[in-house]
């Protein structure tokens, strides 16, 4: 045996995977740590939160100001024109909704693949999904020009005797995005209920007790509760998976069902879905990297989580780059004069700087993620994810504006630039997004507590008893 | 403790059940299994996170949620497709160059979305309904240890006084025998 042991000894040289939760935690300490963040008394609200929320709220006022102006003066204050009828509004719509996709990927698809590491980040990513979809939804509604009549998009009996055109990708969008928003909310809330019960039981202040109590619906955590709950949660994950893939597919149909050069391509659905996940993970990292030290969450969101997210980003980024390459191949192989022209126009036309920056941000800079040093450095990851955030916005700009501004007839060509109100609405939705996120991390547990309890090694409780 | 008026038949007034607390999920699962084997049926176990063994011990095997999801999905899908059929055939038929009114491939996407929506809504509403939620009041919260620890790191087993096998002293002796850290009465 002894000889065997010595022979076997070098084997563990393969480094053991870093734990997904720092050692020494028990269900009690996990609960204490995560629940104490939203239960901090109002007087003890951290300064960084107050400062951050104030800035976000100010930016939200920019949104209200820009939208107020839009409602009074009409969409003419935007930069949209003939031929570029879709400008910032649709770019931002696609950008925001893409960001949302990472949340569903993390919470649903990684659950089905039994990726335990998702547990630390799924709640936060789902909240991000919800808020990103709320921001995305603003744009098509505002773009209708008369947002107070946006309900006309829904099928309902009305005195005008009108019904929506169900063959239109824009109506598909209405169905896809509203279903996605509803299901994301259901998924998020269902996940929250057991944690809201924890908050109810731990809250000291009467108002908090009542609020969390009402929201937790009287959850008791009985075996029957958990049995139905786990079944429902798993089914929701299974249903959200095709849903999330369908949403960005339908968004890509907005383009690919049209005949505009550069849009009419079969590669759009997979390429858009990969881009959405790519952008979403970049946004998750952008938000989580600063929050991790601020909320002292390094025990739960470990370096291994960052590594994994970086790897997903690298993989989806490569799919996106493949999409860019294939767009050029299709353009050339189609033999179509306008398709070939569109691609030349993309690379060397009036919007060439947008395109070159896009390639830099989305294709070149993220290759740094091949190196473990980059993947394990929060600062480097933050920088890379910022590049991707910008790059993915530019990608939508290039797809929409370059194709629309120069289509088949040179006589109908035009130029496009966003007006100050376009920027006001865009930056304003970031204020909306950040305000909601700040409120979320202040009042709700940003990590799923009950799922983290299951991540604690089984012997932790016994060790605690022994002490 | 005992029934004060002879008209009352059944469990003693002032007692909803007996609750035993266990130090970890493993011992709770063992206790739940023995309680089930002893013939108690109005038994519930409470854990701060899902524990498979506990659910199995109490014979929670077939959830009705999947069936509800299936029904919700089918209804959603049929409803979505039916709405488009009706709109295009009856409510707002549009003859565009003699093209078919029911161009079904184009209707698949709203149908798909309605299927998912119906299934997800019935998953969540069905799960809450099957669990009897929302429930603003429940006797188990009358035990201070429960409302303090059950959602953090407490593992509890409750036998209801309404169980036919329930007997104030006999059941308490039975629970004590399961080696809990504490046994307490649950007021209604």
């Amino acid at each position: 045996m002894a000889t065997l042991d010595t022979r076997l000894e070098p084997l563990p040289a393969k480094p053991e995977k870093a734990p997904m939760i720092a050692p020494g935690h028990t269900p009690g300490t996990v609960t204490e740590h995560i629940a104490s963040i939203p239960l901090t008394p109002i007087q003890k609200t951290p300064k960084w939160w107050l400062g951050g929320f104030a800035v976000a709220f100010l930016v939200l006022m920019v949104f209200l100001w820009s939208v107020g102006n839009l409602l009074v003066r009409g969409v003419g204050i935007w930069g949209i024109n003939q031929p570029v009828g879709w400008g910032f509004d649709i770019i931002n719509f696609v950008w925001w909704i893409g960001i949302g996709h990472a949340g569903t990927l993390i919470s649903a698809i990684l659950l089905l693949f039994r990726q335990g590491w998702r547990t630390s980040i799924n709640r936060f990513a789902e909240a991000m999904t919800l808020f990103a979809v709320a921001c995305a939804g603003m744009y098509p509604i505002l773009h209708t020009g008369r947002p107070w009549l946006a309900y006309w998009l829904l099928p309902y009996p009305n005195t005008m005797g009108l019904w929506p055109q169900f063959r239109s990708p824009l109506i598909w969008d209405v169905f896809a995005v509203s279903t996605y928003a509803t299901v994301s909310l259901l998924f998020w809330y269902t996940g929250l209920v057991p944690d809201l019960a924890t908050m109810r039981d731990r809250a000291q202040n009467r108002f908090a007790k009542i609020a969390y109590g009402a929201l937790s619906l009287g959850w008791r955590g009985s075996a029957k509760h958990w049995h139905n709950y786990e079944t429902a949660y798993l089914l929701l994950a299974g249903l959200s998976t095709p849903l999330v893939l369908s949403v960005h597919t339908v968004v890509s149909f907005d383009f690919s069902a049209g005949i505009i050069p550069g849009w009419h391509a079969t590669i759009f659905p997979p390429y858009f879905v990969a881009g959405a996940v790519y952008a979403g993970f970049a946004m998750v990292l952008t938000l989580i990297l600063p929050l991790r030290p601020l909320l002292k969450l390094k025990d739960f969101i470990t370096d291994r989580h960052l590594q994994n997210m970086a790897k997903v980003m690298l993989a989806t980024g490569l799919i996106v780059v493949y999409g860019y390459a294939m767009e050029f191949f299709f353009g050339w192989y189609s033999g179509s004069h306008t398709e070939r022209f569109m691609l030349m126009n993309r690379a060397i036309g009036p919007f060439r700087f947008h395109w070159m920056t896009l390639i830099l941000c989305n294709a070149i800079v993220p290759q740094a993620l091949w190196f473990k040093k980059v993947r394990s450095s929060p600062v480097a990851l933050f920088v890379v994810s910022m590049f991707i955030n910008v790059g993915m916005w530019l990608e939508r700009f290039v797809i929409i504006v370059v194709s629309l501004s120069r289509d088949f007839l040179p006589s109908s060509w035009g130029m496009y630039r966003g007006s100050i109100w376009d920027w006001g609405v865009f930056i304003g939705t970031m204020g909306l997004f950040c305000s909601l996120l700040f409120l979320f991390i202040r009042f709700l547990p940003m990590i799923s507590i009950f799922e983290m309890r299951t991540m604690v090694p089984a012997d932790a409780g016994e060790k605690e008893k022994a002490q | 403790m005992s029934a004060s008026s002879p008209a009352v038949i059944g469990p003693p007034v002032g007692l909803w059940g007996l609750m035993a607390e266990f130090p970890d999920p493993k011992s709770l699962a063992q206790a739940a299994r023995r309680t089930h084997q002893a013939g108690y049926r109005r038994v519930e176990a409470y854990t701060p996170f899902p524990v498979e063994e506990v659910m199995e011990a109490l014979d929670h095997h077939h959830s009705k949620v999947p069936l509800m999801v299936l029904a919700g999905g089918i209804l959603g899908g049929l409803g979505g497709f039916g709405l488009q059929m009706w709109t295009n055939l009856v409510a707002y038929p549009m003859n565009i160059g003699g093209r078919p009114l029911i161009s079904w491939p184009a209707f698949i996407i709203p149908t798909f979305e309605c299927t998912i929506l119906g299934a997800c809504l019935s998953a969540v509403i069905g799960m809450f309904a099957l669990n009897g939620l929302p429930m603003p009041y429940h006797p188990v919260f009358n035990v201070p240890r429960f409302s303090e620890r059950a959602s953090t790191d407490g593992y509890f087993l409750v036998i209801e006084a309404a169980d036919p096998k329930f007997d104030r002293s006999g059941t308490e002796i039975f629970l004590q025998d399961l080696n809990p850290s504490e046994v307490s009465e649950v007021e209604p």
Side-chain angles (χ1 to χ4, degrees):
Chain A
M1 278 315 278
T3 47
L4 191 68
D5 280 348
T6 43
R7 264 199 299 138
L8 281 178
E9 216 159 1
L11 269 179
K14 192 182 169 197
E16 270 189 46
K17 277 198 171 170
M20 285 183 283
I21 182 166
H25 275 291
T26 66
T29 60
V30 169
T31 311
E32 171 65 35
H33 195 118
I34 304 170
S36 68
I37 301 168
L39 288 175
T40 314
I42 294 286
Q43 307 87 303
K44 287 189 187 156
T45 304
K47 293 232 163 51
W48 64 263
W49 187 90
L50 287 172
F53 183 65
V55 172
F57 201 70
L58 271 179
V59 181
L60 175 60
M61 294 304 113
V62 174
F63 177 71
L64 291 184
W65 176 247
S66 310
V67 171
N69 241 290
L70 178 79
L71 297 189
V72 172
R73 293 162 63 195
V75 288
I77 64 170
W78 284 350
I80 45 176
N81 55 30
Q82 291 293 349
V84 187
W86 282 4
F88 267 44
D89 30 32
I90 306 301
I91 299 168
N92 297 340
F93 163 70
V94 182
W95 189 70
W96 276 119
I97 204 136
I99 284 171
H101 280 46
T104 320
L105 183 104
I106 290 169
S107 55
I109 300 183
L110 295 186
L111 178 82
L112 298 183
F113 284 141
R114 296 181 185 273
Q115 295 295 306
W117 59 277
R118 76 178 259 291
T119 306
S120 311
I121 50 172
N122 74 325
R123 169 74 48 72
F124 180 78
E126 282 168 43
M128 186 195 78
T129 295
L130 213 52
F131 305 150
V133 172
C135 292
M138 299 283 171
Y139 289 98
I141 291 175
L142 293 173
H143 190 233
T144 58
R146 289 188 288 169
W148 51 93
L149 297 178
Y151 64 90
W152 284 10
L153 290 163
L154 300 171
Y156 72 104
N158 53 68
T159 50
M160 301 172 287
L162 287 174
W163 288 87
Q165 171 55 284
F166 290 107
R167 300 175 189 88
S168 161
L170 301 185
I171 291 297
W172 299 347
D173 241 8
V174 172
F175 275 83
V177 175
S178 59
T179 302
Y180 185 48
T182 314
V183 172
S184 302
L185 181 68
L186 288 174
F187 203 24
W188 183 66
Y189 179 65
T190 306
L192 263 170
V193 166
D195 283 1
L196 288 167
T198 302
M199 306 293 288
R200 166 199 69 200
D201 295 346
R202 299 182 72 89
Q204 299 299 321
N205 141 341
R206 191 171 155 70
F207 177 73
K209 265 186 202 294
I210 294 176
Y212 290 127
L215 288 172
S216 66
L217 306 177
W219 179 264
R220 302 190 297 281
S222 71
K224 187 180 109 186
H225 278 187
W226 285 122
H227 183 57
N228 287 323
Y229 181 90
E230 280 208 305
T231 315
Y233 199 74
L234 192 65
L235 285 168
L236 277 179
L239 291 162
S240 303
T241 300
L243 175 67
V244 69
L245 299 180
S246 87
V247 173
H248 229 60
T249 300
V250 170
V251 169
S252 81
F253 285 167
D254 291 346
F255 303 97
S256 55
I259 55 160
I260 303 289
W263 289 8
H264 198 56
T266 47
I267 198 170
F268 263 40
Y271 154 54
F272 265 53
V273 171
V277 174
Y278 187 39
F281 269 85
M283 188 53 95
V284 174
L285 277 173
T286 310
L287 299 169
I288 262 182
L289 287 169
L291 284 177
R292 201 170 74 119
L294 282 172
L295 293 171
K296 303 186 182 63
L297 292 175
K298 282 188 183 164
D299 281 4
F300 306 127
I301 303 171
T302 61
D303 290 343
R304 188 168 155 206
H305 291 93
L306 303 185
Q307 287 265 354
N308 284 355
M309 283 193 268
K311 284 178 191 165
V312 174
M313 248 171 23
L314 180 60
T316 47
L318 290 172
I319 301 177
V320 169
V321 173
Y322 174 77
Y324 297 156
M326 279 303 116
E327 279 192 314
F328 273 88
F329 173 74
F330 286 174
W332 167 75
Y333 193 69
S334 72
S336 154
H337 179 72
T338 45
E339 289 284 342
R340 285 186 182 183
F341 170 77
M342 186 278 302
L343 289 163
M344 292 310 289
N345 187 35
R346 214 176 246 193
I348 56 174
F351 294 107
R352 61 186 173 277
F353 289 113
H354 293 78
W355 183 79
M356 285 170 192
T357 320
L358 148 71
I359 295 298
L360 174 76
C361 291
N362 274 0
I364 298 171
V365 172
Q367 301 313 317
L369 295 173
W370 286 104
F371 301 99
K372 194 165 183 182
K373 254 203 174 120
V374 175
R375 291 201 306 268
S376 45
S377 148
V379 177
L381 270 181
F382 187 79
V383 172
V384 172
S385 62
M386 281 311 273
F387 267 100
I388 298 171
N389 286 329
V390 174
M392 286 309 293
W393 189 85
L394 286 169
E395 179 198 301
R396 278 71 178 244
F397 183 96
V398 165
I399 290 174
I400 292 171
V401 173
V402 173
S403 287
L404 280 177
S405 63
R406 293 188 168 181
D407 64 359
F408 306 97
L409 283 178
S411 60
S412 64
W413 286 0
M415 272 299 286
Y416 175 82
R417 58 185 302 190
S419 75
I420 184 161
W421 300 111
D422 279 310
W423 285 104
V425 178
F426 179 41
I427 292 168
T429 40
M430 291 184 194
L432 173 66
F433 181 75
C434 293
S435 301
L436 289 169
L437 268 182
F438 271 110
L439 290 174
F440 163 68
I441 58 174
R442 181 67 185 81
F443 295 111
L444 291 171
M446 67 165 275
I447 296 180
S448 172
I449 308 175
F450 86 88
E451 285 178 292
M452 287 307 278
R453 290 186 197 120
T454 63
M455 304 296 292
V456 174
D459 57 346
E462 280 148 39
K463 271 185 204 153
E464 186 189 31
K465 259 191 299 167
Q467 278 165 10
Chain B
M1 193 67 0
S2 61
S4 50
S5 113
V8 178
I9 303 166
V13 172
L15 186 71
W16 185 78
L18 283 173
M19 176 186 281
E21 184 181 353
F22 293 88
D24 51 67
K26 218 189 275 169
S27 47
L28 174 65
Q30 242 160 26
R33 198 170 304 120
R34 282 185 52 194
T35 313
H36 195 77
Q37 280 163 358
Y40 288 102
R41 283 300 171 268
R42 302 199 64 153
V43 184
E44 201 41 283
Y46 298 87
T47 48
F49 51 84
V51 183
E52 204 67 40
E53 296 85 44
V54 175
M55 295 180 213
E56 271 167 24
L58 291 179
D59 218 14
H60 289 306
H61 280 299
H62 297 289
S63 171
K64 288 205 188 78
V65 172
L67 210 61
M68 291 171 125
V69 171
L70 180 68
I74 291 175
L75 274 178
L78 288 177
F81 196 76
L83 171 76
Q84 298 175 78
M85 290 263 283
W86 177 78
T87 304
N88 283 284
L89 280 179
V90 181
Y92 204 81
M94 268 194 293
N95 184 342
I96 300 167
R99 287 184 178 82
L101 290 175
I102 304 299
S103 48
W104 65 268
F107 299 163
I108 291 304
I109 288 166
T111 307
F112 172 78
E113 305 295 342
C114 291
T115 309
I116 299 280
L117 185 65
C120 287
L121 282 172
S122 49
V124 174
I125 296 172
M127 182 269 287
F128 284 128
L130 287 173
N131 285 345
L133 300 176
M135 184 177 283
Y137 175 82
H138 197 276
V140 286
F141 289 103
N142 290 330
V143 179
R145 271 295 286 180
F146 183 89
S147 48
E148 201 183 300
R149 313 262 16 137
S151 60
T152 302
D153 54 2
Y155 307 90
F156 298 88
L157 185 76
V158 176
I159 303 182
E160 279 182 49
D163 193 292
K165 272 203 72 174
F166 187 85
D167 164 56
R168 176 68 187 81
S169 49
T171 304
E172 181 165 357
I173 293 167
F174 171 77
L175 281 176
Q176 289 290 5
D177 200 41
L178 297 174
N179 218 359
S181 50
E182 203 178 317
V183 175
S184 29
E185 293 181 349
V186 185
E187 288 165 18

